[in-house]
Amino acid sequence: MHVRSDAVVLFGVTGDLVSKKLFPALYELTRRDRLDVPVIGVARSPWDDQQLVTTARKSVAEANDEIDDETFDALARNLSMISGDYADPVTYQRLAERLRDAERPIFYLAIPPAVFGAVVEGLAAAGLADRGRVIVEKPFGRDLASSQELDRTLRAAFDPQRVFRIDHYLGKEAVEGLYAFRFANRLFEPLWNNQHIDNVQVTLAEGFGTQGRAGFYDTVGATRDVLQNHILQVVALIAMEPPVADDTDAFREAEAAVLRQIAPLSPESTVRGQYAGYRDEPGVRPDSNTETFVATRLTIDSPRWAGVPFHLRTGKSLPATATEVVVEFKQPQQPLIRAEGGAGASANLLRFRLGRGDGITMSIQAKSPGAEVASRPVDLSVDFGVALGHRQEAYERLLDDAMDGQHLRFAREETIQQEWRIVEPILDLPAPVQTYEKGTWGPADAEALAGGWHTPYLR
Ligand code: NDP
């Protein structure tokens, strides 16, 4: 059993991620008696301990209908602040002083990727990397070369067993549910191949824009922000072979193995869009060619998936916020029953709803009422929130796991490099992005790419 981390250090504690996700996660862990260790915030901003506690309370209040004061006070007692520059060795000396009793501190790099290197080197120089764990956020680099460079920096300081690369999608219960669905249900696995599946669609739609973070977003775009990580993570779970054993290494190997079989994406099968008005947002370059939407076709060169297109799309300012995978099965081999609505109407669909109101909807064919023997689709549906009750938040689970030294829900070095290899040909394409109106499903060409998309179910 690994030693549980006995201190948490949050670099970038003044930032968006800590506010939105990490303070609520720390509060939940405190509530569940999973966290009673020093939590040290580090940032350049000249905050004192009180300001840290006030900010933490505000963000916990935003994430919860009500705050349990006893729990929050227990968390607050553990919070303290260090302000300093990441290039200044004194910052790390002060940190080392504060961590002198900690055997296995964990360092969360909630900072822009450009500063990862400086912080990792600063920790190493202060002798903190030898005994610590480190959590690194996505985006992990900007392309294959920079992610390899980042890996070298991390490896020079930290034992690989102590590096935790977060793609928070893997921490979501709904996404992990794909794995459970596939390998705990005998019903579907025999059909999970190109004999029976016609195509797969993955949609990760955001019904909002850049939410005041356009300056950051403009340097990233939809492919780096979402496709390279979250969407490929989902594809891996849908498409992976069964792991050879029920353990972390086998799971992570199966995940990397399917990514190895994915062909690099092609610019010809990719549509990039940008919503109208994006270039007028503060922080966006007036001639920006950054995509706020991308749709593409992915293929997997394996006996299981040869010939099955995976259509993927993600974008901002779309008509809704939804994350869905739709698995479309082939038509019956012998069409004995007329499908209402034409030939294509009789496909069975398995719809994994992974966002808010998550669950599964299976579209089956039922006999239409009346004299004629014809069929029409009806839904069998389950809402997991109703069926299963409360589930934990992704960041809460991921922090808990990393503190325990458990890697199951963290990406391997190779996994991230494979993801970059897959998206590399469509990064920074010179062709102008196509403009789409806010509140639509992206440029018209995206529609044609998939031969029509299944509109996400909204709950
Ligand atoms: P922010 O842009 O909010 O930055 C976090 C903090 O980093 C800031 O508060 C600032 O603190 C410090 N900072 C900013 N620029 C610099 C710089 N040039 N040098 C040193 N410090 C700097 O980032 P987020 O909190 O949004 O994200 C943190 C990390 O998590 C990033 O890697 C991001 O890609 C990733 N991420 C974020 C998500 C989110 O929802 N926000 C989701 C998934 C991943 P100060 O000036 O006080 O030092």
Side-chain angles (χ1 to χ4, degrees):
M1 188 62 194
H2 301 282
V3 178
R4 186 159 171 91
S5 287
D6 47 4
V8 178
V9 180
L10 302 174
F11 286 91
V13 76
T14 52
D16 184 66
L17 180 71
V18 176
S19 253
K20 271 197 329 219
K21 300 292 183 189
L22 300 185
F23 282 138
L26 292 167
Y27 169 82
E28 268 312 306
L29 290 174
T30 306
R31 196 180 60 75
R32 290 199 285 118
D33 292 330
R34 296 291 295 161
L35 185 99
D36 188 9
V37 298
V39 177
I40 303 164
V42 186
R44 301 171 304 181
S45 302
W47 283 17
D48 58 15
D49 292 354
Q50 190 48 49
Q51 201 159 353
L52 184 65
V53 170
T54 308
T55 310
R57 186 163 181 111
K58 193 162 159 269
S59 78
V60 172
E62 273 164 23
N64 292 275
D65 294 337
E66 57 187 80
I67 298 187
D68 174 45
D69 283 330
E70 207 177 308
T71 302
F72 185 80
D73 291 347
L75 171 62
R77 276 194 295 279
N78 284 323
L79 290 175
S80 71
M81 183 72 202
I82 292 180
S83 296
D85 196 291
Y86 296 138
D88 185 353
V90 173
T91 307
Y92 305 94
Q93 285 155 17
R94 288 171 58 208
L95 184 58
E97 175 59 23
R98 199 143 331 152
L99 289 173
R100 65 182 180 280
D101 296 330
E103 188 188 339
R104 185 71 80 237
I106 189 157
F107 304 104
Y108 200 123
L109 306 191
I111 43 177
V115 246
F116 285 176
V119 172
V120 168
E121 282 157 21
L123 289 170
L128 287 168
D130 292 345
R131 62 182 210 268
R133 298 186 170 115
V134 65
I135 303 180
V136 200
E137 265 291 348
K138 68 106 196 172
F140 196 80
R142 287 188 56 75
D143 50 24
L144 183 56
S146 58
S147 83
Q148 286 167 333
E149 179 62 38
L150 196 49
D151 277 325
R152 276 192 288 277
T153 307
L154 284 169
R155 237 183 290 128
F158 287 89
D159 179 314
Q161 280 302 315
R162 305 246 189 88
V163 177
F164 296 82
R165 297 172 189 80
I166 282 200
D167 173 346
H168 80 273
Y169 256 54
L170 200 48
K172 279 173 169 280
E173 299 239 32
V175 173
E176 200 168 51
L178 292 171
Y179 182 72
F181 179 89
R182 284 201 48 207
F183 300 119
N185 290 299
R186 180 70 185 265
L187 192 55
F188 298 100
E189 194 56 20
L191 307 179
W192 217 250
N193 55 53
N194 52 9
Q195 294 293 306
H196 300 283
I197 291 179
D198 185 79
N199 69 81
V200 178
Q201 293 187 358
V202 182
T203 296
L204 197 161
E206 293 178 335
F208 46 86
T210 55
Q211 296 184 307
R213 305 181 75 234
F216 158 78
Y217 189 83
D218 200 44
T219 64
V220 178
T223 302
R224 287 188 171 93
D225 193 37
V226 172
L227 177 61
Q228 181 266 345
N229 36 74
H230 302 333
I231 291 189
L232 290 182
Q233 180 65 65
V234 167
V235 169
L237 290 169
I238 289 285
M240 76 195 318
E241 297 298 323
V244 295
D246 173 24
D247 63 36
T248 297
D249 283 348
F251 172 79
R252 294 168 101 208
E253 173 51 29
E255 190 183 31
V258 72
L259 291 168
R260 275 178 225 133
Q261 293 174 314
I262 295 177
L265 296 171
S266 115
E268 291 73 40
S269 310
T270 298
V271 177
R272 296 187 322 131
Q274 186 184 78
Y275 62 79
Y278 171 75
R279 289 179 190 174
D280 302 329
E281 293 183 13
V284 175
R285 293 158 295 157
D287 60 347
S288 170
N289 200 34
T290 298
E291 76 284 354
T292 61
F293 174 97
V294 62
T296 190
R297 182 182 306 128
L298 172 149
T299 56
I300 305 178
D301 298 327
S302 72
R304 188 192 285 263
W305 294 112
V308 179
F310 282 63
H311 290 114
L312 320 175
R313 66 175 171 172
T314 182
K316 287 194 175 291
S317 294
L318 301 187
T321 296
T323 304
E324 275 199 11
V325 179
V326 180
V327 176
E328 182 172 330
F329 287 85
K330 293 195 169 174
Q331 304 284 326
Q333 267 170 341
Q334 200 144 26
L336 298 173
I337 300 185
R338 187 182 72 82
E340 276 184 18
S346 58
N348 292 134
L349 305 178
L350 250 181
R351 191 183 283 268
F352 297 93
R353 295 179 278 109
L354 305 179
R356 197 171 309 139
D358 63 307
I360 293 179
T361 302
M362 185 162 76
S363 168
I364 60 162
Q365 294 294 316
K367 192 189 115 28
S368 316
E372 194 189 357
V373 183
S375 73
R376 75 164 69 146
V378 292
D379 286 347
L380 301 179
S381 201
V382 58
D383 286 356
F384 287 151
V386 176
L388 305 172
H390 171 76
R391 267 85 39 76
Q392 294 169 1
E393 288 291 325
Y395 277 96
E396 177 189 340
R397 312 173 76 212
L398 293 169
L399 251 178
D400 202 9
D401 283 356
M403 288 181 73
D404 267 342
Q406 299 292 351
H407 277 93
L408 179 67
R409 302 187 180 96
F410 296 89
R412 272 208 325 215
E413 192 175 318
E414 189 206 343
T415 303
I416 300 206
Q417 291 182 6
Q418 289 293 341
E419 290 172 347
W420 281 121
R421 176 191 62 76
I422 293 164
V423 301
E424 193 110 298
I426 65 161
L427 293 175
D428 306 317
L429 290 175
V433 288
Q434 301 182 29
T435 306
Y436 62 96
E437 292 304 318
K438 284 186 189 175
T440 67
W441 288 107
D445 286 359
E447 210 53 39
L449 181 79
W453 294 84
H454 298 288
T455 304
Y457 274 22
L458 300 173
R459 303 243 141 195

